């Protein structure tokens, strides 16, 4: 499919972190990049790096947990040109936030972002949202529960019975539920994005060395995560550029037959969790 070349092509980058920047550097040349982050100084810093490297980037304050903030970012993107790429790398981790904030940001916010971007994405456009290996290791949900996560209108998601506080054990469980929801939302949204001639996929990284990961290494589950990458087949954590390698495939012409999919990139940690030395003991 040919994109409209009369307007500037716009890439939206949500979350001014290492993974998002690595993907933007891989794919954002020749485009206007709009970088949104809850801490605008983080977005300013990423834009400074990108602009110094020859890209064209603009920073904005962005709160993934707020529908109005999401709509504001999308409106600014449309002022800049034709929205042809979305990178959603925003979110909070189990060591950074409460159960309620994780669900509102990572689960609800991502659902709103994908839903609203799908209404304006250009023909031939594409997107990727960063999920997590955590969604692959939680106990399986029923088909009915998965469908609820995939298809419930975004404004009703947090009212679902399975997401009520009494059914969420701790912040890790909340994070797992959010990431499971991300993957299911991508599947459902891929159908809608396809009606516009666009694609959307997710990536589920394992332990990737970023400031957020360092928070986890130094948090209450630090030993758990260090043990995870030590005993996974790769024997090490990953890098943001390795996630960008996968995003480049998914978002380039080589990936035009890939949509509604999730790509697990975790050095084999999930495989080891189910069938290797990371398998929980009874």
């Amino acid at each position: 499919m040919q994109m409209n070349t009369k307007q500037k092509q716009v890439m939206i980058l949500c979350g001014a972190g290492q993974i998002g920047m690595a993907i933007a550097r891989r794919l954002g040349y020749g485009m206007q990049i709009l970088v949104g982050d809850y801490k605008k100084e983080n977005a300013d810093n990423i834009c400074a790096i990108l602009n110094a490297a020859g890209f064209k980037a603009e920073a904005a304050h962005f709160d993934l947990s707020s529908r109005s903030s999401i709509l504001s970012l999308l409106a600014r993107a449309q002022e800049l040109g034709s929205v042809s790429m979305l990178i959603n790398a925003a979110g909070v981790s189990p060591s950074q936030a409460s159960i309620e904030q994780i669900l509102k940001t990572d689960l609800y916010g991502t659902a709103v972002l994908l839903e609203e971007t799908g209404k304006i994405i250009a023909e031939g456009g594409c997107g990727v949202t960063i999920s997590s290996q955590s969604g692959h290791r939680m106990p399986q949900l029923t088909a009915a529960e998965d469908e609820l996560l995939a298809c419930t209108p975004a404004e009703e998601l947090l009212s679902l019975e399975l997401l009520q506080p009494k059914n969420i054990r701790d912040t890790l469980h909340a994070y797992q539920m959010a990431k499971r929801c991300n993957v299911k939302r991508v599947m459902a949204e891929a159908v809608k994005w396809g009606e516009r001639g666009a694609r959307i996929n997710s990536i589920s990284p394992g332990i990737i060395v970023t400031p957020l990961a360092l928070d986890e290494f130094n948090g209450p589950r630090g030993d758990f995560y260090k043990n995870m990458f030590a005993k996974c087949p790769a024997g090490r954590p990953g890098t943001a550029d390795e996630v960008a390698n996968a995003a480049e495939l998914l978002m380039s012409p080589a990936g035009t037959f890939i949509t509604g999919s999730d790509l697990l990139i975790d050095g084999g940690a999930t495989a080891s969790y189910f069938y290797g030395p990371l398998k929980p003991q009874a």
Side-chain angles (χ1 to χ4, degrees), residues 41 45 58 115 118 142 242 279:
E41 60 267 31
N45 291 338
E58 175 182 309
E115 194 174 275
T142 67
E242 288 174 301
K279 185 173 183 178

Side-chain angles (χ1 to χ4, degrees), residues 10 52 80 101 125 136 141 155 168 197 201 203 208-209 215 256:
V10 178
L80 293 171
Q101 191 60 51
H136 289 262
L141 300 177
E155 291 304 319
I168 303 295
N201 292 290
I203 295 175
I208 306 296
V209 179
D215 282 346
T256 52

Side-chain angles (χ1 to χ4, degrees), residues 9-126:
Q9 299 301 306
V10 178
M11 168 190 282
I12 301 174
L13 168 57
C14 299
Q18 295 299 311
I19 290 176
M21 183 172 68
I23 298 173
R25 289 180 67 106
R26 198 67 60 88
L27 296 160
Y29 40 83
M31 303 178 73
Q32 171 67 58
I33 305 172
L34 178 61
V35 183
D37 196 271
Y38 187 76
K39 295 182 178 179
K40 187 173 179 292
E41 60 267 31
N42 291 344
D44 288 331
N45 291 338
I46 292 296
C47 286
I49 294 170
L50 290 171
N51 288 329
F55 294 88
K56 186 175 182 181
E58 175 182 309
H61 174 262
F62 170 70
D63 181 357
L64 182 59
S65 70
S66 165
R67 175 178 282 274
S68 63
S69 183
I70 291 170
L71 293 177
S72 178
L73 188 76
L74 295 180
R76 176 55 184 157
Q78 288 180 286
E79 291 174 355
L80 293 171
S82 177
V83 178
S84 56
M85 285 190 180
L86 169 69
I87 302 165
N88 177 31
V92 293
S93 77
S95 295
Q96 293 178 320
S98 65
I99 290 173
E100 293 75 17
Q101 191 60 51
I102 290 169
L103 294 178
K104 190 172 183 183
T105 302
D106 291 16
L107 189 148
Y108 164 79
T110 296
V112 173
L113 179 63
L114 298 184
E115 194 174 275
E116 294 298 328
T117 306
K119 297 175 182 178
I120 64 167
I121 192 73
E123 182 177 1
C126 58

Side-chain angles (χ1 to χ4, degrees), residues 207-228:
I207 305 297
I208 306 296
V209 179
T210 65
L212 185 148
L214 293 176
D215 282 346
E216 293 297 320
F217 294 162
N218 296 318
R221 299 185 183 89
D223 290 341
F224 170 82
Y225 289 112
K226 292 172 186 175
N227 182 61
M228 182 184 298

Side-chain angles (χ1 to χ4, degrees), residues 7 22 236:
Q7 284 186 296
R236 62 172 178 85

Side-chain angles (χ1 to χ4, degrees), residues 118-248:
K119 297 175 182 178
I120 64 167
I121 192 73
E123 182 177 1
C126 58
V128 66
T129 192
I130 303 301
S131 185
S132 169
Q133 62 175 351
S134 291
H136 289 262
R137 290 201 311 276
M138 66 178 291
Q140 290 299 303
L141 300 177
T142 67
E145 288 171 329
D146 275 339
E147 186 169 356
L148 285 172
L149 292 178
C151 301
T152 299
E155 291 304 319
E156 300 173 19
L157 267 172
L158 296 181
S159 297
L160 291 176
E161 178 66 18
L162 77 164
L163 297 179
Q164 297 313 297
K166 65 181 180 180
N167 296 318
I168 303 295
R169 296 185 301 275
D170 52 26
T171 58
L172 178 59
H173 186 208
Y175 187 74
Q176 290 174 326
M177 289 295 290
K179 297 309 179 179
R180 177 74 174 192
C181 183
N182 293 168
V183 170
K184 293 301 174 181
R185 296 304 285 197
V186 161
M187 294 179 71
E189 285 297 327
V191 178
K192 300 174 185 177
W193 283 45
E195 295 171 358
R196 296 181 62 88
R199 302 181 297 110
I200 178 70
N201 292 290
S202 60
I203 295 175
S204 290
I207 305 297
I208 306 296
V209 179
T210 65
L212 185 148
L214 293 176
D215 282 346
E216 293 297 320
F217 294 162
N218 296 318
R221 299 185 183 89
D223 290 341
F224 170 82
Y225 289 112
K226 292 172 186 175
N227 182 61
M228 182 184 298
F229 69 70
K231 292 183 179 177
C232 75
R236 62 172 178 85
T239 66
D241 285 281
E242 288 174 301
V243 179
N245 290 340
E248 184 175 24

